[in-house]
Amino acid sequence: MPALPLPDRLRALGRGRRPRALSVAVANLLPLVGVVALGWNAAALMTLYWFELGIASLWAVVRALFAGRPSEIEREVLLSGPLAQRRLGLSIPRTDLQVRFSSLLVLPIAAPILAVVWGVVGTLTVGVVVEEGTVPTVVDTVALATLALFVGEGATTLVEYFGRGEYRDHSAQTALTGVFARGAAVFLGALFTVTVVAVATLEGDTPISALDPSAIGLPLLLGIVAVKAAFDLGGLYGDRLAAFDESQALDLGFSYDPPAAEPVDGSLAAPVETVRQPPRARIAGALTTPLGHPGLWYLAALPALGAALFAIGGKWGAAAALAAAAVALPLVPAAIDHELRHGLVEYRAGDDALVARDRLSGATLWRVEAWDETDLRVERSGLDRRLDTETVAIELRDDEYRIPGVADPEPILDVFERRPDRPDG
């Protein structure tokens, strides 16, 4: 029988729950062996669990990077919202893997949070149960166990997540969620350990740094291992909880489907008309965007203060440069955001639907069928009156699309059978 190609072998290994179950078994047998046979104390156990959390965080970031579904980012978020709508990605040659642009928007925020969580958990666990100036006496066996955990987690990611194709069902956010449960398990286990050791070894006002991690007995250490194993088993069978949540129409938080990975259909029935914002609306929209995002003006506070100080000192060149920076810092991201949302978007009106299309990448951002709207309005803000433009609001069952600054909205309105509500006058 000929050997299977590597991707097929990975898929074969990934069938069922075996790789993840094996990884969970290894992750819990190693501490058990360490406590029973190698004489680990509370410090060694907490050190291993802390390193396990770091390893899980590292591989979670790898899984998030190659998640197959777009990340869910609110459209209203400055810059990230319109960028995430593009649903673009970089394909990995000879695979069906893709690094999605929306994942790259999530990771710069998620990775530092994971690092902070890991550091805080380490401070509250290893930093407490390991006496100052000392290290666990079983450091060699802890290091070997840490290496085994790294290899096991990596093998599980390779076989199950990539080989079995689990990445197709995850966004960057869902690929990271399991790490926080592990962090909570380690933290609660450490908190319990520290409390018990403190009660057993400290008297009066003795500082917590005087804890003796060797004072905790074998039965309690085994109890900590059992509690950690229970958390891991809960994560292993989390899909059963999600299936129960979904089948019973409950809202327990276990069941969640990220947005679909498929691109939005951009095809239209002829005839097709294209509507774009006129230049005057693009310029005015970019200049007024900071009014809807007051937080942008905090960016101008420091250079504005510097400009005032230099002006008091008579340094007019530096004051002018800082004043220009104070104006540019809020306006530049606002202008980019407006261009991504509206200026660089064209609205293609066909006989059966309305499609919003990015003019730079050609990606279809959204689509509304001719019969999907629940309300249709034409609005005129103060800016619209000055520019002689109109804003079209298309209300759906659970969403709303707004198309501001349109000189002639009739091609858009003609897509729908419903006649729009217009302002009086």
Side-chain angles (χ1 to χ4, degrees):
M1 180 179 178
L4 290 172
L6 180 59
D8 294 337
R9 277 184 279 173
L10 288 177
R11 292 189 185 94
L13 285 172
R15 292 192 188 101
R17 211 183 303 267
R18 287 173 296 175
R20 191 182 303 172
L22 181 61
S23 177
V24 169
V26 169
N28 288 282
L29 283 175
L30 286 175
L32 186 63
V33 172
V35 168
V36 174
L38 302 178
W40 286 7
N41 59 13
L45 189 61
M46 288 299 105
T47 300
L48 179 65
Y49 284 157
W50 183 52
F51 281 126
E52 181 188 349
L53 177 60
I55 290 167
S57 300
L58 176 63
W59 285 110
V61 169
V62 173
R63 292 194 292 271
L65 181 63
F66 295 100
R69 293 198 178 190
S71 299
E72 190 167 11
I73 299 175
E74 295 292 335
R75 283 203 310 267
E76 292 74 19
V77 177
L78 188 74
L79 293 179
S80 296
L83 284 172
Q85 274 193 293
R86 266 69 183 170
R87 297 199 176 189
L88 303 175
L90 176 65
S91 298
I92 307 301
R94 299 184 180 181
T95 70
D96 58 353
L97 295 175
Q98 194 176 47
V99 178
R100 292 191 169 273
F101 193 73
S102 60
S103 299
L104 296 179
L105 296 173
V106 170
L107 288 179
I109 299 173
I113 291 176
L114 288 176
V116 169
V117 169
W118 188 64
V120 169
V121 170
T123 301
L124 299 177
T125 57
V126 180
V128 172
V129 297
V130 178
E131 297 178 13
E132 186 176 355
T134 67
V135 294
T137 56
V138 289
V139 63
D140 292 338
T141 54
V142 172
L144 289 175
T146 301
L147 179 61
L149 291 176
F150 180 84
V151 173
E153 188 74 19
T156 302
T157 299
L158 180 64
V159 173
E160 271 205 358
Y161 191 74
F162 294 115
R164 188 180 174 184
E166 281 190 2
Y167 65 91
R168 299 189 186 95
D169 300 324
H170 283 280
S171 66
Q173 290 109 323
T174 59
L176 294 167
T177 51
V179 179
F180 294 100
R182 285 195 180 186
V186 174
F187 174 74
L188 292 175
L191 184 65
F192 180 68
T193 303
V194 170
T195 302
V196 171
V197 174
V199 170
T201 63
L202 300 182
E203 296 180 359
D205 297 330
T206 307
I208 198 170
S209 59
L211 286 176
D212 180 10
S214 62
I216 188 169
L218 178 63
L220 192 52
L221 285 175
L222 294 178
I224 296 169
V225 173
V227 171
K228 171 65 166 49
F231 272 90
D232 288 346
L233 288 174
L236 176 62
Y237 292 97
D239 56 341
R240 301 277 180 88
L241 296 174
F244 175 79
D245 191 353
E246 189 171 323
S247 64
Q248 301 300 318
L250 301 174
D251 189 16
L252 302 177
F254 298 113
S255 178
Y256 169 72
D257 287 327
E262 293 77 15
V264 182
D265 182 15
S267 62
L268 290 169
V272 177
E273 293 189 63
T274 300
V275 178
R276 298 176 181 175
Q277 271 197 342
R280 64 183 184 277
R282 293 175 65 177
I283 295 172
L287 293 175
T288 56
T289 294
L291 299 177
H293 298 275
L296 282 173
W297 293 107
Y298 289 115
L299 299 174
L302 189 59
L305 177 61
L309 293 176
F310 276 109
I312 293 172
K315 305 292 185 180
W316 299 109
L322 288 172
V327 174
L329 281 176
L331 283 181
V332 169
I336 295 174
D337 180 83
H338 182 269
E339 283 294 284
L340 290 171
R341 290 181 189 275
H342 307 296
L344 294 173
V345 177
E346 62 181 20
Y347 305 95
R348 305 181 71 238
D351 191 50
D352 58 341
L354 175 68
V355 165
R357 179 176 176 271
D358 179 36
R359 291 159 56 187
L360 289 180
S361 64
T364 301
L365 306 181
W366 50 263
R367 175 189 179 97
V368 177
E369 305 294 339
W371 52 84
D372 274 355
E373 93 290 348
T374 59
D375 192 20
L376 189 64
R377 302 187 306 277
V378 175
E379 303 170 353
R380 297 202 75 188
S381 64
L383 184 62
D384 281 323
R385 293 188 180 91
R386 290 182 178 87
L387 300 176
D388 193 24
T389 58
E390 293 179 307
T391 296
V392 179
I394 306 169
E395 190 171 326
L396 308 177
R397 290 179 181 84
D398 54 359
D399 203 352
E400 183 181 76
Y401 292 114
R402 298 180 66 84
I403 307 174
V406 179
D408 180 17
E410 289 306 319
I412 295 173
L413 302 175
D414 288 343
V415 172
F416 309 101
E417 295 183 1
R418 184 191 305 269
R419 288 297 85 198
D421 297 327
R422 289 184 174 274
D424 296 334

